[in-house]
Each structure stands twice: as C-alpha cells, then as structure tokens.
Amino acid sequence: ITTLRINTILENGAKPVVISKELPSATFEEYIKEGKMIWKQKSFVLEDLRTNGREEVDKIVDKCFVTLSDKDYELKKTIYQECLKLRIPITTTDCPELCTFTMLSTYVKGDFGLGITTSGKGCRLANRMKREIVNSIPSNIDKIIENIGTLKHKIQKEDNIEDEQLNDLIGGSEDDSMTTSK
C-alpha cells in the first residue's frame, strides 16, 4: 500500500516525505538518490505534521497518508485527530472512519483522466473496475480527446463566441454546461 501511495504522489508531481524506521521498499532508494522523495528514518511523532511541509505553508504538511498496521489503531486515531485540528487532509489505510478523503484508482492518457473509488471499502474492486473500463476505451483516447477539443474550439469560433461571452453563458466552458450553436 505504501508503495502505491508513494507512486501516486510522485505521478502527481509532489514530493513525498516518508517517516519510517525502515524503508518500505528498495525501489525508494533510487527515488531518494534522485531527490524525488525524502525518507526520515525514525518513529513518527505528531510534531512531524508541523515540520515536514513546504516553507510557503509554514512547514504544515499538505496531506497525510497513513499506512500503519491494524495493531496501531490508536496511533492512527491520534494522527487523524491532529490532522483534523490542523486542517490536513488525511487518508488512513483500511479505516474509512479515519479519512477525510479517499484515494482514486486512476488512469490517465493525455488529457483523458478516469478515477474510481469505493470510498475505502474495496480498493482491489476499484482497481478491477478501472481495468475493465480501461480495456473498453479506445487505445487512441488521448487523440480523440484532443480532436474533440479542437472541434469544440472551431465551433465556438464559427459561432463568434469569445471566451468572455462563453463565460457569461450558464456554466461557461465546463463540460456539463449548456452547449450553444447558431
């Protein structure tokens, strides 16, 4: 689970800070060498939530991903309560009651993105559903999305709809908004 979380964080362009006495995976040695992640070889303390974030947010962490075992439930609960006080979004493995957000099983290709969640009740089911859906999506979905975007822009241009006018329409340029054509 820790490996999946770290890879998701890296895929989204963030830099994870892992606090653990032992490195969760040998794969991460390379990430550490490349400066993609930070490993603090120590036991977690609540103060870590206030000291491992970015400078621009006074070192408060942006999000907290807890992957402790079931025997550490009280610590999970304590971390959750502290995150609530500090307004830090938290997700805790196998404890939906100790989460303020859930992880999506995601697929991204170009400008196409798909996310599925079971709200912490079955991540393997979410992954299987994602695989089933992805297998039914055309392999060139990224090109299809690009072509649709180009076509949408051309139609708006033909209709003489400027960005400012488009924003005045209901929903602006949102996908679910009203569509117009002369």
Side-chain angles (χ1 to χ4, degrees):
I1 297 280
T2 303
T3 301
L4 290 172
R5 298 292 185 254
I6 290 172
N7 286 330
T8 300
I9 292 166
L10 291 169
E11 287 169 7
N12 286 287
K15 188 174 189 174
V17 176
V18 176
I19 300 171
S20 174
K21 286 187 177 181
E22 295 179 22
L23 195 59
S25 167
T27 307
F28 301 134
E29 289 178 22
E30 194 64 32
Y31 293 161
I32 293 165
K33 286 179 190 172
E34 295 170 359
K36 292 181 179 177
M37 79 175 249
I38 297 168
W39 174 37
K40 305 239 176 164
Q41 189 176 12
K42 67 183 209 69
S43 294
F44 174 84
V45 292
L46 289 179
E47 188 61 22
D48 288 324
L49 297 170
R50 292 180 175 87
T51 58
N52 287 291
R54 298 172 292 123
E55 289 290 336
E56 53 269 33
V57 291
D58 294 331
K59 296 292 207 169
I60 303 290
V61 299
D62 293 310
K63 286 187 179 139
C64 184
F65 298 83
V66 179
T67 57
L68 296 169
S69 70
D70 289 338
K71 67 181 171 113
D72 294 318
Y73 184 83
E74 286 306 312
L75 178 56
K76 290 181 188 183
K77 189 174 176 182
T78 301
I79 295 169
Y80 172 78
Q81 290 167 339
E82 189 68 14
C83 284
L84 288 179
K85 287 179 197 171
L86 297 171
R87 297 182 176 186
I88 299 169
I90 179 173
T91 188
T92 306
T93 304
D94 296 328
C95 293
E97 73 278 11
L98 301 178
C99 296
T100 59
F101 74 98
T102 57
M103 297 292 292
L104 295 174
S105 179
T106 60
Y107 172 79
V108 176
K109 187 168 185 185
D111 290 326
F112 176 79
L114 170 73
I116 296 176
T117 183
T118 56
S119 298
K121 294 182 176 81
C123 61
R124 291 179 189 207
L125 175 61
N127 278 321
R128 181 172 180 180
M129 292 169 68
K130 176 192 71 176
R131 283 193 307 274
E132 293 290 329
I133 293 169
V134 167
N135 286 335
S136 68
I137 294 171
S139 61
N140 64 338
I141 189 67
D142 52 335
K143 294 295 181 195
I144 293 170
I145 298 295
E146 189 176 317
N147 290 341
I148 289 172
T150 301
L151 181 59
K152 178 180 174 182
H153 181 72
K154 284 180 182 178
I155 290 170
Q156 290 170 346
K157 193 172 183 177
E158 282 179 18
D159 286 349
N160 293 319
I161 298 176
E162 301 297 324
D163 286 342
E164 202 171 287
Q165 290 173 311
L166 187 61
N167 287 332
D168 289 339
L169 295 172
I170 298 172
S173 61
E174 293 295 316
D175 288 339
D176 296 332
S177 69
M178 180 179 85
T179 305
T180 181
S181 175
K182 289 184 182 175

